[in-house]
Amino acid sequence: MERQFWEQIATGITSEKAAEAVGVSTPVGTRWFRHRGGMPLFMSHPTSGRYLSFSEREEIALLRAQEVGVREIARRIGRSPSTVSRELTRNAATRRGKLEYRASVAQWKSELVARRPKPAKLLMNPRLRQYVQDRLEGKIHDAQGREVTGPRQAAFIGRNKPHRGDRKWVNGWSPEQIANRLQVDFPDDQSMRISHEAIYQALYIQGRGALKRELVSYLRMGRALRVPRARAQATAWAHVSEEVMISSRPAEAEDRAVPGHWEGDLIIGLDRSAIGTLVERSSRFTMLVHLPREAGYRLTPRTKNGPALSGYGAVTMANALKRTVATLPAELWQSLTWDRGKELSDHARFSIESGVRVFFADPRSPWQRGTNENTNGLLRQYFPKGTDLSRWSEQEIQAVARTLNNRPRKTLGWKTPAETLNQYLKSVRQPGVATTG
């Protein structure tokens, strides 16, 4: 019966029809493989479409016996040529010292390799584990070979990396460097091989903890937890479309001839504090946006995807800008060019409610908002880096803006921004329009 079954397979029919011909009833999608000296066995759990099925392996074996090329085989079964090439090499039988592809042997090999859980490679190979651990713990040495201890590191508590000022001086290799250096140091020893992903898993996955958990602090990023895949694959600037790129900004904004085109950004302080800055391109008139923290900041427990309470979340930022825009005539608000920060991801609603078109600069191109960058540098005289910006009230922030607008500027012919903007408002001769003071 066994011989009849495999003779049917050899004629080119499928395993289901071969089983039916010899009187064996099996469900659709059955995967067969052959044990030495035994009956043909089947497994009733078909693989997902991600992996080759037994019927595909049968077709590969038949086409290979007919000396069909790898690319033609891949085209006929609807797979990538690299998938077929790896299958013919990885799961081939090795009888008589040469590779011979058999569908039953290939299926048995794939089932054997797919068994889970697998023992961690670093756990089973102490020599390899010691090599990886020594290089992760690389230390700084001086010219005489003496170890330089550097600053004392804060104790690892398993939550997050220590403050950068408390991290050790290390010369540790990255997992990718270790994985590739193994091939140089041990070219003929296949047991001394490991992928960089396996090293990361040994550090971050508790069930595969062949390495000491505190070694994550030696990694360059020093994260106690890996970045979730959803966050790593998220689009960094999903709120920026082609319609709101700076290339779509009106040409009149480029030559600074007509007031009404602004540039904006945030200056950031400690503990997620910030102040919004708006600068008019023609007159250099500056407006500051007070961004106090929301009620419950650091009092209510943090929730995933919960509301931003730091003061410059998307909704809070758009509302604060809308209030600021309302303090000047509508003629002075034609467009706003912003950095690519997500604090203005609610720009569509802001544009509809305020009538101000928003545009975003190109990535890593601060010169496209040069007026705003220069103004932020001037503001650091009043709001130094490394300070908590929430300590200043609304009145104090507006006093700084008033001071800056009344300082003469060389680029304006030593006029002040306030004088320049007032001169424009008077020239348009619109009665009842408030001046900037």
Side-chain angles (χ1 to χ4, degrees):
M1 182 177 175
E2 177 192 2
R3 188 181 58 159
Q4 293 174 356
F5 174 82
W6 294 113
E7 285 176 352
Q8 295 283 337
I9 292 291
T11 60
I13 68 172
T14 63
S15 56
E16 288 84 358
K17 291 183 179 180
E20 184 179 351
V22 297
V24 178
S25 177
T26 61
V28 178
T30 295
R31 297 175 298 169
W32 294 80
F33 61 92
R34 186 178 188 178
H35 280 296
R36 291 182 181 178
M39 290 292 294
L41 304 177
F42 66 88
M43 299 181 65
S44 59
H45 302 288
T47 57
S48 66
R50 178 182 175 186
Y51 304 101
L52 288 173
S53 63
F54 183 64
S55 59
E56 288 176 314
R57 289 190 167 96
E58 287 178 320
E59 192 166 355
I60 291 174
L62 290 173
L63 293 173
R64 191 62 174 172
Q66 298 170 13
E67 298 184 354
V68 178
V70 170
R71 291 189 177 276
E72 178 63 20
I73 294 175
R75 188 188 64 80
R76 293 190 188 183
I77 68 174
R79 293 283 186 172
S80 169
S82 59
T83 300
V84 177
S85 177
R86 284 194 300 268
E87 174 68 18
L88 291 171
T89 304
R90 182 183 297 165
N91 292 330
T94 55
R95 291 186 177 181
R96 296 185 297 274
K98 63 179 181 178
L99 296 179
E100 182 179 354
Y101 188 80
R102 297 171 179 266
S104 57
V105 175
Q107 185 66 29
W108 172 73
K109 281 190 173 183
S110 66
E111 296 282 352
L112 190 65
V113 172
R115 290 178 182 174
R116 295 295 185 274
K118 282 185 174 181
K121 196 169 187 179
L122 290 175
L123 199 62
M124 303 298 293
N125 191 337
R127 180 165 165 243
L128 178 61
R129 180 175 67 250
Q130 192 62 43
Y131 180 94
V132 172
Q133 187 165 303
D134 288 346
R135 275 136 190 89
L136 283 174
E137 290 181 321
K139 297 178 176 62
I140 295 289
H141 294 84
D142 60 15
Q144 286 73 34
R146 295 172 299 190
E147 181 180 339
V148 181
T149 58
R152 179 176 296 178
Q153 184 181 17
F156 178 77
I157 56 178
R159 284 204 301 262
N160 202 353
K161 56 190 174 185
H163 190 273
R164 67 184 64 182
D166 298 329
R167 295 183 67 184
K168 287 182 179 178
W169 293 357
V170 295
N171 192 28
W173 295 5
S174 69
E176 185 178 11
Q177 289 172 327
I178 296 173
N180 287 280
R181 183 65 187 187
L182 278 166
Q183 303 177 27
V184 177
D185 292 344
F186 305 96
D188 301 324
D189 190 351
Q190 293 299 317
S191 66
M192 297 294 286
R193 297 286 186 274
I194 192 170
S195 67
H196 64 276
E197 178 60 26
I199 298 176
Y200 279 118
Q201 289 187 10
L203 288 170
Y204 285 111
I205 300 178
Q206 188 159 357
R208 306 179 67 86
L211 297 173
K212 296 184 294 184
R213 184 71 174 84
E214 56 267 23
L215 284 176
V216 296
S217 63
Y218 289 93
L219 298 177
R220 289 181 184 139
M221 293 295 103
R223 294 189 182 97
L225 298 174
R226 297 191 79 171
V227 176
R229 181 176 296 180
R231 190 190 310 168
Q233 295 177 348
T235 305
W237 298 303
H239 61 287
V240 180
S241 60
E242 191 65 31
E243 293 77 17
V244 295
M245 290 293 296
I246 194 172
S247 57
S248 303
R249 191 174 65 175
E252 62 183 22
E254 193 67 30
D255 57 13
R256 304 175 188 265
V258 181
H261 300 281
W262 298 71
E263 297 176 2
D265 196 8
L266 296 178
I267 54 175
I268 305 296
L270 291 181
D271 296 330
R272 299 186 65 81
S273 59
I275 297 175
T277 63
L278 299 170
V279 187
E280 203 280 313
R281 284 176 54 83
S282 176
S283 64
R284 277 67 172 183
F285 188 83
T286 302
M287 300 186 74
L288 299 182
V289 184
H290 187 226
L291 298 172
R293 297 190 178 102
E294 298 287 335
Y297 178 76
R298 286 194 171 176
L299 297 178
T300 57
R302 295 182 61 182
T303 57
K304 186 176 182 180
N305 298 325
L309 303 178
S310 59
Y312 54 96
V315 176
T316 306
M317 190 72 211
N319 293 336
L321 283 178
K322 188 174 65 172
R323 290 192 299 268
T324 304
V325 166
T327 60
L328 287 181
E331 291 77 8
L332 292 178
W333 289 99
Q334 302 300 321
S335 71
L336 172 61
T337 304
W338 200 265
D339 194 11
R340 299 183 64 100
K342 291 189 175 181
E343 64 272 2
L344 205 57
S345 57
D346 199 17
H347 62 89
R349 181 177 66 88
F350 167 74
S351 296
I352 293 173
E353 296 179 356
S354 65
V356 182
R357 297 184 62 188
V358 177
F359 300 95
F360 292 92
D362 292 325
R364 296 172 291 277
S365 303
W367 60 87
Q368 295 177 343
R369 303 170 17 266
T371 304
N372 184 232
E373 292 289 337
N374 177 264
T375 303
N376 288 348
L378 298 177
L379 288 169
R380 285 299 185 183
Q381 177 182 353
Y382 306 95
F383 310 114
K385 292 184 179 181
T387 57
D388 187 351
L389 300 181
S390 64
R391 62 191 292 187
W392 285 282
S393 64
E394 170 78 16
Q395 292 74 21
E396 292 170 332
I397 289 176
Q398 299 310 325
V400 171
R402 190 177 303 108
T403 301
L404 203 61
N405 290 329
N406 285 281
R407 286 171 55 175
R409 304 287 293 272
K410 180 179 180 180
T411 188
L412 300 176
W414 302 111
K415 293 182 180 179
T416 67
E419 290 172 346
T420 304
L421 198 60
N422 279 333
Q423 184 177 356
Y424 169 76
L425 291 175
K426 291 177 182 179
S427 67
V428 296
R429 295 181 180 178
Q430 293 183 351
V433 174
T435 62
T436 60

